[in-house]
Amino acid sequence: MKLISRLRDPRYYQIAVLTVLVCFGVTVLDFGIRWQNAAAILATALTTQFFGTVYARLPRFDPLSPLITSLSLTLLLRTDEVGLAATAAIIAIGSKFLVRFRDKHVFNPANAALVTLMLASDHVWVSSGQWGSAAIGAFTLACLGFLVLTRARRAETTIAFLLIYATLLFGRATWLGDPLAIPMHQLQNGALLIFAFFMISDPKTTPNSANGRVLFAAMVASIAFVIQFIYYEPNGPILALIVSAPAVPLIDMVMRGRHYQWQRPVARTRKRLKGVY
Amino acid sequence: MKILISIAAALLTIVVTTSAQAFCGFYVARADTSLFNRASQVVLVRDENRTVITMANDFEGKVADFAVVVPVPTMIEREQINVGDRAVVQHLDAYTSPRLVEYHDPDPCVLYERSERMSSDGAAFPKANAEMKRGARSQGVTIEASYTVGEYDILILSAAESDGLIRWLNDNGYRVPRGAKGVVSSYLKQDMRFFVAKVNVEEQSKLGYQYLRPLQVAYESNKFMLPIRLGTLNARGKQELYVYALTRTGRVETTNYRTVKLPTNTEVPEFVQEEFADFYRAMFDKQTRAENERAVFLEYAWDMAWCDPCAADPLSAKELRQLGVFWIAGNNRNNGSKIAPAAAQNVFVTRLHVRYDREHFPEDLVFQETGDRQNYQGRYVIRHPWKGASSCDVTQYEASVRERQEREAQQLANLTGWDIDEIRAKINFAGGERPVPENEPWWKRIWG
């Protein structure tokens, strides 16, 4: 029973999918993942989580979330310096413990690290175009499988983001008179899918209510579109998420909902627990 | 051991046979004369939001009747357009070309005496008006400026609507490719502007050039992109484009297409030396297909200060300035007493090769500069077996050479998709005897 209830935790599936993606990226696509960076990110993230657990006096050390953050960073962050990869993990996990508002961390960990380092250093970048079209097909299936298996729990954010972003892209193409092959091609982007399924979907940093999440997704999609197609800057979605993050507490104030717990049965037994980090 | 390295660079011009009809812009012809340019080369100098683009072409045809319509991301002024030097682009091409390196086995009986020599044969590189204004305004096209730069008459257009631009081109005797209207309209809505460059025959004959010199444009825009859509309109089949990016920080890659490194540092059979261009073309074809014809290929990424081995010398600071690398000082401070300036620093070159058509590349190429300064080059290795007289038993040496030759044959077959038996037939196996490949069926050798 315990095992089954544990497996209901969607993070196991996330970890499985992300691991497959990393392996696929390294072996088949060869898109620049350096194993030193991956090792540094993983080790640093787990260590930071451990110290964070002690600092926040959490009842137990939870390796799942830092594992997901590590895998996301491994997939998205490119750098030629191992030190920067490790710094990314510290910023990501550290921000969870330090930047908090009303028992929730404000920024998505991997997102906070990516943006901070991209702005601070020339040696950090995101290679958003490195997924071939064949890979995108398999990837989309894996992501959709994720929705099915988790019974689309809290998947409003992902679905709303993709729908709104796609609508904006198709709308732009229609206004410009461009062939629809162009927005289709823009949507077939590996980094965009990782973002939609594994970053913006994070239930810990999105609003508590379903309506709030849809509103938030719409906000991120619109800002991403403006960054990408009006200011012509790359990495629109990643930048849009960090810009929108401070709006989450405001949305929560207006639209009330229940704070998400990864494993509800466990969380209910511990009154002191202020939410698993 | 004596190692002799000589380099033959496969210049894009020989690698490419497909005729291409346009680059960033599109050509418009006055008559039915056909115009071919085999490959387009674009040099993109980029730092922050400043870009200097140099567009070079291999024209074949009578240039006097043609004009090229070039989209640019922003409004530009006269001083932003320049006519460059084709030789500098050719030099950049030679410097970044994929290279074949050859080594000679030492005398197997003498296992010492090591020397190295390297040579690069530069010669081996195959290389690469008032009335009009009134008419224009009535069609919604304002000719913002018109003047002559070098052998070109330049017209900077500001079109309120694409219909006007297309009609203006038609009225002035240019044939516009079908489908151009839609793309022009889309570009205009994205705040892009156009200029038309046509050859001023008088100026050209005065200057004495037999070819068209590259056009250069300097502009400031967040858009780090190359408009290729117009180029796909009148193209027959696929087009070849080489992009040389010169940046301060590191390698450049596309953000909306996959950028793939071509296989490199592979040992290939000796005969590849004679057919390097065929080899490179076949390998590029195979790699393109493996990526579903949707990838941009990295052929070279290197710090401009050096090279190893060098297919050509790195570009001088002066040449880089000519290409528009604005952050380095040109060596025009000629005070006579100083030693020759050191090789240019702080410039990283990326050479990208893309074969594109409308179906596989629907969107313009969008680039980003990365922090990656890892050097990469397309390098292929030939190892010549020892052919001199030997003073000892060479049976073992010959066996090892045969094994290596078989391995090289298989690698070549893998890279190019060429038939393995045809490859083997071209190899002079050491001792005159072909080794039996591990997985060859037993009956293959019964009847010779």
Side-chain angles (χ1 to χ4, degrees):
Chain A
M1 273 305 279
K2 200 178 173 193
L3 182 72
I4 293 169
S5 86
R6 266 180 167 243
L7 284 179
R8 284 171 66 188
D9 187 336
R11 289 178 298 174
Y12 286 104
Y13 189 81
Q14 279 194 17
I15 290 168
V17 173
L18 289 170
T19 309
V20 169
L21 288 176
V22 170
C23 294
F24 187 66
V26 172
T27 55
V28 182
L29 292 177
D30 183 26
F31 60 21
I33 293 179
R34 296 171 54 184
W35 68 266
Q36 300 96 317
N37 288 0
I41 288 171
L42 184 65
T44 319
L46 289 172
T47 313
T48 314
Q49 175 78 16
F50 175 77
F51 285 115
T53 309
V54 174
Y55 162 80
R57 294 189 191 143
L58 293 179
R60 62 180 183 85
F61 171 72
D62 174 23
L64 297 184
S65 289
L67 207 54
I68 291 174
T69 305
S70 304
L71 289 164
S72 302
L73 280 177
T74 303
L75 279 171
L76 292 172
L77 179 124
R78 295 282 175 282
T79 178
D80 52 350
E81 288 174 22
V82 180
L84 284 171
T87 312
I90 295 175
I91 297 174
I93 307 294
S95 74
K96 280 202 305 184
F97 291 97
L98 299 175
V99 190
R100 301 180 67 80
F101 185 79
R102 290 190 176 180
D103 288 339
K104 267 175 92 169
H105 49 272
V106 178
F107 298 110
N108 172 281
N111 184 245
L114 278 174
V115 176
T116 313
L117 289 178
M118 275 198 298
L119 294 177
S121 166
D122 280 342
H123 292 271
V124 172
W125 67 98
V126 174
S127 281
S128 50
Q130 296 310 299
W131 301 77
S133 47
I136 294 286
F139 186 13
T140 313
L141 280 180
C143 294
L144 291 175
F146 175 64
L147 290 185
V148 174
L149 280 185
T150 57
R151 276 168 282 160
R153 260 189 300 170
R154 296 226 164 188
E156 304 93 349
T157 335
T158 298
I159 297 167
F161 170 79
L162 283 176
L163 281 177
I164 295 161
Y165 196 65
T167 309
L168 289 168
L169 291 182
F170 280 97
R172 174 179 183 265
T174 312
W175 174 65
L176 292 174
D178 283 347
L180 294 184
I182 291 181
M184 286 300 287
H185 178 255
Q186 285 162 342
L187 285 171
Q188 288 168 28
N189 181 300
L192 180 74
L193 291 179
I194 292 180
F195 175 82
F197 284 91
F198 300 100
M199 199 174 269
I200 194 181
S201 58
D202 175 14
K204 304 295 285 183
T205 48
T206 41
N208 294 332
S209 69
N211 286 341
R213 286 192 291 277
V214 172
L215 179 69
F216 179 68
M219 189 175 162
V220 176
S222 316
I223 296 175
F225 179 83
V226 169
I227 293 174
Q228 199 102 25
F229 297 102
I230 295 181
Y231 289 97
Y232 297 100
E233 291 284 351
N235 307 312
I238 288 171
L239 292 170
L241 181 59
I242 204 148
V243 173
S244 312
V248 174
L250 295 175
I251 296 173
D252 276 344
M253 265 188 253
V254 182
M255 300 170 166
R256 291 188 186 279
R258 197 168 46 168
H259 187 177
Y260 189 79
Q261 306 291 349
W262 287 114
Q263 294 166 347
R264 268 176 233 148
V266 180
R268 223 179 284 140
T269 58
R270 304 294 297 250
K271 247 191 164 176
R272 255 191 76 239
L273 190 69
K274 291 178 174 174
V276 180
Y277 282 71
Chain B
M1 188 166 70
K2 189 182 172 194
I3 304 174
L4 177 74
I5 307 173
S6 71
I7 299 148
L11 263 245
L12 52 101
T13 36
I14 55 161
V15 169
V16 177
T17 49
T18 329
S19 64
Q21 275 212 312
F23 52 147
C24 307
F26 60 92
Y27 296 110
V28 282
R30 276 187 188 279
D32 270 346
T33 332
S34 56
L35 173 86
F36 296 103
N37 65 313
R38 288 178 296 181
S40 324
Q41 289 167 284
V42 173
V43 185
L44 274 172
V45 172
R46 172 88 177 179
D47 189 46
E48 303 286 331
N49 61 352
R50 294 177 180 178
T51 305
V52 182
I53 181 171
T54 304
M55 295 164 280
N57 284 269
D58 272 0
F59 282 94
E60 280 177 16
K62 205 174 153 202
V63 292
D65 291 332
F66 294 95
V68 57
V69 182
V70 182
V72 272
T74 56
M75 183 67 217
I76 49 166
E77 289 169 14
R78 175 187 181 137
E79 289 79 18
Q80 289 172 263
I81 301 178
N82 184 43
V83 181
D85 184 353
R86 197 167 72 155
V88 182
V89 180
Q90 283 166 351
H91 185 181
L92 182 59
D93 175 13
Y95 171 72
T96 55
S97 287
R99 57 219 60 204
L100 188 66
V101 186
E102 82 186 307
Y103 293 83
H104 286 264
D105 275 2
D107 182 346
C109 303
V110 186
L111 294 169
Y112 49 91
E113 203 184 334
R114 183 179 177 146
S115 68
E116 278 188 25
R117 192 163 75 87
M118 218 165 90
S119 73
S120 158
D121 185 3
F125 302 129
K127 37 116 269 42
N129 356 39
E131 202 178 313
M132 214 183 235
K133 273 186 177 171
R134 265 199 304 279
R137 206 164 288 133
S138 65
Q139 288 151 3
V141 179
T142 315
I143 299 175
E144 296 283 320
S146 86
Y147 42 84
T148 306
V149 180
E151 64 267 45
Y152 295 102
D153 281 338
I154 305 281
L155 309 170
I156 296 177
L157 306 173
S158 150
E161 49 166 341
S162 58
D163 287 357
L165 173 61
I166 302 287
R167 213 179 315 134
W168 182 86
L169 286 167
N170 282 330
D171 288 355
N172 282 277
Y174 296 109
R175 291 186 310 119
V176 178
R178 195 179 298 175
K181 197 174 141 186
V183 183
V184 167
S185 146
S186 171
Y187 280 164
L188 286 169
K189 283 180 180 164
Q190 293 173 65
D191 287 332
M192 293 185 71
R193 291 291 173 264
F194 294 86
F195 73 85
V196 180
K198 52 180 186 157
V199 177
N200 184 318
V201 188
E202 238 170 70
E203 289 295 324
Q204 200 200 15
S205 61
K206 238 190 272 173
L207 289 163
Y209 290 106
Q210 295 304 308
Y211 53 85
L212 289 186
R213 291 184 296 162
L215 275 164
Q216 297 185 294
V217 190
Y219 58 84
E220 218 171 280
S221 166
N222 276 351
K223 294 177 197 166
F224 186 15
M225 53 89 76
L226 202 56
I228 58 169
R229 288 175 59 196
L230 281 170
T232 59
L233 293 173
N234 57 352
R236 277 183 245 154
K238 294 185 181 295
Q239 302 189 66
E240 303 279 337
L241 169 71
Y242 294 82
V243 179
Y244 310 88
L246 299 170
T247 50
R248 213 198 282 249
T249 316
R251 183 174 57 81
V252 166
E253 64 181 21
T254 35
T255 59
N256 55 347
Y257 297 98
R258 198 162 132 69
T259 308
V260 182
K261 283 178 183 159
L262 281 168
T264 183
N265 292 332
T266 313
E267 286 187 16
V268 290
E270 280 178 285
F271 73 84
V272 168
Q273 193 164 12
E274 276 86 57
E275 31 194 281
F276 188 53
D278 286 338
F279 155 74
Y280 198 76
R281 194 162 36 222
M283 184 186 71
F284 191 79
D285 284 350
K286 193 173 175 216
Q287 297 303 322
T288 311
R289 281 196 304 274
E291 292 291 337
N292 302 315
E293 302 176 51
R294 287 173 196 276
V296 174
F297 289 91
L298 179 71
E299 290 188 331
Y300 197 74
W302 212 276
D303 190 312
M304 185 53 101
W306 64 297
C307 41
D308 179 29
C310 293
D313 289 337
L315 271 68
S316 67
K318 189 183 166 200
E319 285 175 304
L320 290 169
R321 286 290 296 189
Q322 281 178 288
L323 288 173
V325 184
F326 52 85
W327 61 88
I328 55 160
N331 50 357
N332 46 6
R333 285 168 294 161
N334 196 1
N335 52 15
S337 61
K338 291 271 166 72
I339 320 160
Q345 298 291 323
N346 221 7
V347 181
F348 197 89
V349 60
T350 309
R351 170 176 166 138
L352 299 168
H353 180 178
V354 54
R355 181 173 292 169
Y356 67 98
D357 62 8
R358 199 168 8 165
E359 190 193 337
H360 300 95
F361 285 82
E363 202 187 357
D364 290 328
L365 301 176
V366 183
F367 303 98
Q368 75 172 358
E369 186 181 359
T370 72
D372 185 11
R373 288 188 82 91
Q374 217 175 12
N375 292 324
Y376 166 86
Q377 60 182 344
R379 175 178 172 271
Y380 307 92
V381 183
I382 280 180
R383 304 184 79 93
H384 297 288
W386 170 257
K387 291 194 177 102
S390 46
S391 53
C392 61
D393 180 16
V394 290
T395 327
Q396 219 180 336
Y397 166 72
E398 283 182 345
S400 75
V401 170
R402 277 196 298 275
E403 215 171 275
R404 184 178 81 200
Q405 287 173 317
E406 174 60 26
R407 198 174 56 233
E408 288 168 352
Q410 287 175 9
Q411 279 169 183
L412 182 62
N414 269 338
L415 282 180
T416 57
W418 287 345
D419 183 62
I420 185 82
D421 288 323
E422 281 174 26
I423 294 174
R424 285 186 187 126
K426 286 183 183 175
I427 296 176
N428 293 322
F429 283 97
E433 184 191 324
R434 183 168 77 77
V436 185
E438 264 175 43
N439 48 2
E440 187 179 274
W442 60 272
W443 60 84
K444 273 220 164 187
R445 289 194 162 217
I446 306 178
W447 299 285

